[in-house]
Amino acid sequence: MVLRRGRLKNIWRRLLRQESPCQALCSWRRLDWAAILLACALVAMISSWPWLVEPSLRPGIAAPISVTAPEDATVINSEALEQRRSQLGTRTHVQVVDLEANQMLQERLERQLQELDQVSRSSQTRVGPLNLSPQERAWLVGRDPKDLNNWKLALRKAQQRMLSQGIVGNLAKRQLELAARLQLSPMEEPGLSLGSRLLATNLQGRTNLRTDPLMSQQLIEELLNQQGIPRIVVKKGDLIARQGEPISPQAYDVLDYFGLVNRRPLLWTWLGYFSEALVGCVVMVLILRRWRCSLEPRHALLALAMLAVVQGFKLWLGNAASPLALLVPPTLLLAQALGTPAGLGWLAVASLLWPQPLDDFSGVRLLVAALVAVAAAVLAGRQRSRAQLVQLAILLPVGALALQWLVLQSVALWHGRTRVPPSGTELAAEALLMGGLLMGGLLMGGLLLGPLVESFFGLLTRARLLEMADLERPLLRRLSTEAPGTFEHTLMICGLAEEGARAIGADVDLIRTGSLYHDVGKLHAPQWFIENQSEGPNPHDELNDPFGSARVLQAHVDEGLKLARKYRLPRPLEDFIPEHQGTLRMGYFFHQARELDPSTPEAAFRYRGPTPQSRETGILMLADGCEAALRSLPPGTSEQEAAAMVRRLIDARRLDGQLRDSGISLGELELVIRAFVKVWRRMRHRRIPYPIPPRKAYSA
């Protein structure tokens, strides 16, 4: 028993050793972990929200079990009732008199009556928009004040009676004049015509009515009762819902009538789904860290934010949610930004958190969407230009449409055509939506928002790597003009490092671009480095201070980091600057110092590091150490001698602990040695000597 337990422990330790990251992980602070856990909790809350606030059953979802009616019943058809109510609501409105509008119209009449008083005392013949005839003006001037006040009082009372009956704004002026004449009769002319015209002008185009929602609803209910409320008649034993098929609105009404719909919060069910989603998000983050050791907290937050958005759309759209449109575009974008493992990990969690239950066709569509997303993630990691991504965004929807149609038809045949699959039009619309999202995401991400998103989240996509490797970029242009020797040294190292990365399956594009920037710090004092020195004294000899020379060498790392931040290099490229030197010993100046003082500490002549934290920076360190030695080999050197020399240099760095955190195994080191020798063999190839004919001499 003890031996069996010991074997199990050994197997477990071996498994942990194999599955643990080979490279050093990017350090996260406690605040970073708190933000990650908070984002995971937010995603879990969104995913489990239906089990907290929504009923256990809803129209449109697949029935978890088959249900039959336990007894005879007559149930109100809520869907048909709502349809009738909505139809009546568009044309059934109860309007009442608005007292505020009445007050405004009365004040308007008073202003016009005041203008009439001015007409009687002046020669004007117009009251607002109303023109007075000579007879009407003579009538106004000839009336005594008492008769004129009685006429005005009659106008006020006539308008009040008209307003009490209600005035609409689209009533013709002629109709208003006729109504006013009826209210003013038996008044004599011309006071009758003048008063009716004045009231019609005051009320035309205005209303004193407003809609009363409560009275309108009461009227609608009365009309519904008169027409009869639609009902569903159910007999005992009738099938209400079949397992796996969507619940219709009528079936939902019957289930609710029999008390089979639970509206109370399902706390334990919610807690189970919440825990499942929370654990899934945490596992996804750990997977991302496992496969991308340089993963920063903002990268994980980006993946969680995309998961939260997709979960929100699932809740909002319900059964109309398209698996292709919600799973494929985010998977493709994450695979392009963080790598294929990140896209696949995100896809696994997003698929597992898809709302349940699913009918046969919904399950098949989710499976097809997951397969298409897997293909998108795998292919996205191999795309080397934005044009290839656009081609992928066009081909994926076509392939998804064909695959989905074939699989759904096969499922329908398997069920004997008892269930009708989604139509070809619906599938084409879904594929078109996915293609539009992919194209829109690539257009917005690649052309408009791409640089902003890459800068904010610190992403280093394949396209951005290729753009950063352009030799015409300002920093590289400075390096080629101000430190040409260092620039040539850089190009040589690029060839070695690229071949070494290709040999062990490392990121070739990353190491090529990182190699171009690893020595930009030498721009602060290029003449202090041997590759930039021409004939003349060496500045280090004139300085004659090994400690000062060591500070100059360390400064090329420190100044390189400053330049990287000034030119906003991405973090993975910035890491190449200090890690390509690691904590190596500055051997030449250390021996000089020891000759002057044997007690000189070695730590004063080591770079401050850190040591390489990835395979790419580790390969660059090895290439940097072997480049000069390979170029200095005499012409007659054999490949075995070159390999032995490279192996000695690499073993010295390995035994010095420089490759401890790089994740490069001993077998991979042997592949790197062979790759370096292959590049050296290409560098030293012989050329055929071309004969140069002698110049012909001509006599004067």
Side-chain angles (χ1 to χ4, degrees), residues 42-56:
L42 176 62
V43 175
M45 178 60 73
I46 296 175
S47 303
S48 60
W49 186 255
W51 288 271
L52 189 62
V53 297
E54 295 184 5
S56 57

Side-chain angles (χ1 to χ4, degrees), residues 39 78 122 425 452 508 526 688:
S78 60
S122 63
T425 305
L452 295 178
V508 176
I688 300 175

Side-chain angles (χ1 to χ4, degrees), residues 421-437:
S423 64
T425 305
E426 182 181 351
L427 297 180
E430 185 179 10
L432 187 62
L433 175 61
M434 183 190 76
L437 290 175

